[in-house]
Amino acid sequence: MGLLFYLVAFWGLMYVYHQYLSPKRPRLRRRLRLLAAMIRDRLRWDMDILKAQDQQRFLDWQERYASCDRAKASLEEMEKLLNDGYTALSLPYPKLPSWATYIKESVELLVVVFGVVAGLRALFLQPFKIPTGSMQPTLYGIHFIHNRETEVPSAPKRALDYANYSRRYVDETAASTGVIAMGELKRRNPYLLFPTTSFSHDQKSYTFPGAPANVVQYLPWPRDPEIGRPNEFMPIEEGQNLASGYLMLGDHLFVDRVSYNFREPRRGDIVVFVTDNLRTVDRRRLSGRYFIKRLVGLPGDTLRLSNRKLYVKRPGESEFTVVDEKMHPAFGRLYSGKGGYRGYVHPKREYGAQYLLTPIDTFTLEDDQYFMMGDNSANSQDSRYWGPVPRSSIVGRAFLVWWPFTRRWGWVDTAEPEAYTTAGILP
């Protein structure tokens, strides 16, 4: 750091000397050389659009500069040549008002930036936001951290926590007893990027971060035990804590759209795909166009779930083998029983599952088909519900988590599980 400081200081001193303290003749020569290069480049770039008189003005100046450079011109001649060159360089440009120049340059900048971003997004890296918790704890979607001891911090700390960790705080207590209907939840979006949900009860207004679908997840909203969906009404009591903690907006990542043009998807990859050709058991379209899951089955594989592990019988093999860390390091984490990992579980038919419902069920993939499952398989709608994904639907491979700056920030799927044992799972 000290060496860098001295280098910058030395450069600054040399700049001041050459610009203001050195003899006048060398300074004028340096400026003339720079101006000559600018005029030469202007002729080369704009020869086809310059008027004939402008071209001749530049050529005449170059001849005068060559004569001045060969002879020992006086300081007055050099200064006049410099002024004439600046005048010649500025004349071909149209005179625009300052505001017009600003608008013109801003529009050009926006067009270029938009073109570059659109090109990168379409061909190389596509941004993607994790919407749900189906890939936890490898990747997190929008989720709420309950903490009764959390106090809503000051505005500067809230701004920093949002910028770093995507946290949005809330601490709401019911002021009276009553019932809240689902239809009373109103989405408010004053700043577009910060949706909130509000409702009023007994002349008091309550505001919570997130869209209504997210708010229902973390409020003490009763659910139907049969289908797991929230009921129409939520009873509240005076003094009841409705929500205390903070909402996190989920991992934002880049998807690599390039590598699958040169190689086929591999078992264990975290893959983004479109759901246009996928349907639920009752033939309904899936709720989102883009899904992200882990690829666990390749074309020709026969799959089976047993004892929270995935087994595969590959083409040409006669026996099932466990899909473990030898095939991809992620499967070792999935079976570890640590940090929230629970392994793979059988789905429930009443929730719309169709495949791998019991330990004896198998599923065989055809050519050009891939089987996708979420790491949080107990709460993941995946290929067990709507079947395999065709190769043409695969967009790319999850590449880099760029926000928020949590322990998952950086290359996707590289963070080791946290040390605690997952509840209900033997390590």
Side-chain angles (χ1 to χ4, degrees):
M1 201 61 192
L3 178 60
L4 179 62
F5 170 79
Y6 286 116
L7 288 174
V8 171
F10 176 76
W11 178 87
L13 290 174
M14 294 299 295
Y15 177 81
V16 171
Y17 172 77
H18 284 294
Q19 289 295 323
Y20 306 106
L21 302 179
S22 65
K24 192 171 184 179
R25 182 178 295 277
R27 277 186 283 148
L28 288 175
R29 286 192 177 279
R30 283 194 296 272
R31 293 176 184 176
L32 283 170
R33 283 198 298 271
L34 177 60
L35 183 58
M38 294 170 63
I39 290 178
R40 182 179 64 250
D41 291 340
R42 183 69 195 282
L43 277 171
R44 184 169 66 248
W45 295 335
D46 296 342
M47 181 66 76
D48 57 333
I49 62 175
L50 285 174
K51 296 180 180 178
Q53 60 267 32
D54 295 328
Q55 295 181 24
Q56 190 59 46
R57 186 182 294 110
F58 286 142
L59 294 173
D60 292 344
W61 188 93
Q62 287 183 327
E63 291 181 3
R64 290 175 56 197
Y65 170 73
S67 301
C68 179
D69 196 42
R70 289 193 298 268
K72 190 173 183 180
S74 65
L75 293 178
E76 291 76 11
E77 292 174 337
M78 295 172 67
E79 288 179 343
K80 187 177 187 310
L81 182 63
L82 191 65
N83 293 330
D84 292 344
Y86 286 139
T87 302
L89 194 62
S90 62
L91 281 177
Y93 290 99
K95 298 295 184 181
L96 296 176
S98 58
W99 60 268
T101 303
Y102 175 78
I103 294 176
K104 173 179 176 293
E105 292 178 352
S106 299
V107 170
E108 289 177 351
L109 177 63
L110 289 175
V111 169
V112 171
V113 170
F114 178 79
V116 171
V117 171
L120 289 174
R121 187 183 187 278
L123 301 175
F124 301 103
L125 294 175
Q126 178 175 344
F128 186 82
K129 180 177 71 174
I130 306 296
T132 69
S134 66
M135 285 298 295
Q136 288 182 205
T138 305
L139 295 169
Y140 274 70
I142 300 174
H143 63 287
F144 190 83
I145 304 296
H146 293 274
N147 189 345
R148 293 290 179 86
E149 300 178 357
T150 298
E151 295 183 359
V152 177
S154 62
K157 188 177 188 307
R158 291 202 305 271
L160 287 174
D161 282 354
Y162 179 82
N164 290 323
Y165 310 116
S166 76
R167 292 178 181 173
R168 299 179 63 193
Y169 289 87
V170 62
D171 186 8
E172 287 282 5
T173 301
S176 58
T177 301
V179 176
I180 308 302
M182 183 77 72
E184 296 179 39
L185 301 182
K186 304 298 182 183
R187 177 179 174 132
R188 310 296 181 192
N189 203 4
Y191 305 111
L192 192 64
L193 296 177
F194 307 102
T196 60
T197 298
S198 63
F199 63 83
S200 297
H201 177 70
D202 198 15
Q203 299 183 348
K204 177 176 172 56
S205 179
Y206 301 87
T207 301
F208 301 89
N214 306 128
V215 171
V216 169
Q217 297 295 322
Y218 66 79
L219 287 182
W221 207 287
R223 293 179 172 274
D224 188 322
E226 295 295 328
I227 60 176
R229 293 179 181 175
N231 294 335
E232 183 65 26
F233 301 97
M234 177 185 72
I236 60 174
E237 297 181 3
E238 182 179 354
Q240 176 187 4
N241 182 270
L242 299 178
S244 182
Y246 47 85
L247 181 72
M248 299 188 70
L249 302 186
D251 292 336
H252 292 59
L253 51 85
F254 286 120
V255 176
D256 168 20
R257 298 177 61 106
V258 177
S259 58
Y260 286 162
N261 293 318
F262 302 96
R263 70 169 177 87
E264 289 301 310
R266 297 170 183 168
R267 193 189 319 275
D269 287 352
I270 296 179
V271 174
V272 172
F273 52 94
V274 294
T275 62
D276 299 347
N277 300 317
L278 305 177
R279 297 291 185 272
T280 61
V281 65
D282 54 359
R283 305 306 300 166
R284 290 185 294 109
R285 294 175 64 92
L286 303 187
S287 57
R289 185 163 192 263
Y290 290 96
F291 274 20
I292 182 168
K293 305 290 179 184
R294 190 180 298 278
L295 191 159
V296 300
L298 299 172
D301 285 349
T302 300
L303 303 175
R304 178 168 63 87
L305 288 178
S306 180
N307 296 322
R308 294 186 178 272
K309 293 184 178 181
L310 177 68
Y311 291 81
V312 60
K313 183 168 64 175
R314 286 172 287 200
E317 295 181 351
S318 58
E319 299 292 334
F320 282 94
T321 57
V322 64
V323 178
D324 56 14
E325 61 271 15
K326 296 178 182 178
M327 298 186 184
H328 193 283
F331 293 107
R333 296 192 289 272
L334 283 165
Y335 305 147
S336 67
K338 294 183 178 297
Y341 286 108
R342 300 173 180 273
Y344 291 121
V345 300
H346 298 287
K348 296 182 179 180
R349 188 184 299 275
E350 56 266 31
Y351 290 170
Q354 306 178 66
Y355 311 109
L356 306 183
L357 300 172
T358 69
I360 61 173
D361 288 345
T362 62
F363 184 86
T364 300
L365 292 158
E366 300 178 2
D367 293 341
D368 202 43
Q369 290 184 340
Y370 296 84
F371 205 87
M372 309 290 181
M373 289 180 64
D375 288 359
N376 184 15
S377 65
N379 295 284
S380 173
Q381 291 275 334
D382 48 38
S383 288
R384 298 169 299 170
Y385 291 80
W386 28 256
V389 176
R391 176 67 175 85
S392 59
S393 295
I394 294 178
V395 174
R397 176 176 60 94
F399 172 61
L400 178 75
V401 175
W402 59 269
W403 189 70
F405 303 112
T406 63
R407 64 187 303 270
R408 299 176 301 281
W409 183 82
W411 308 122
V412 167
D413 203 22
T414 57
E416 290 298 320
E418 297 185 75
Y420 69 87
T421 300
T422 303
I425 303 296
L426 293 176

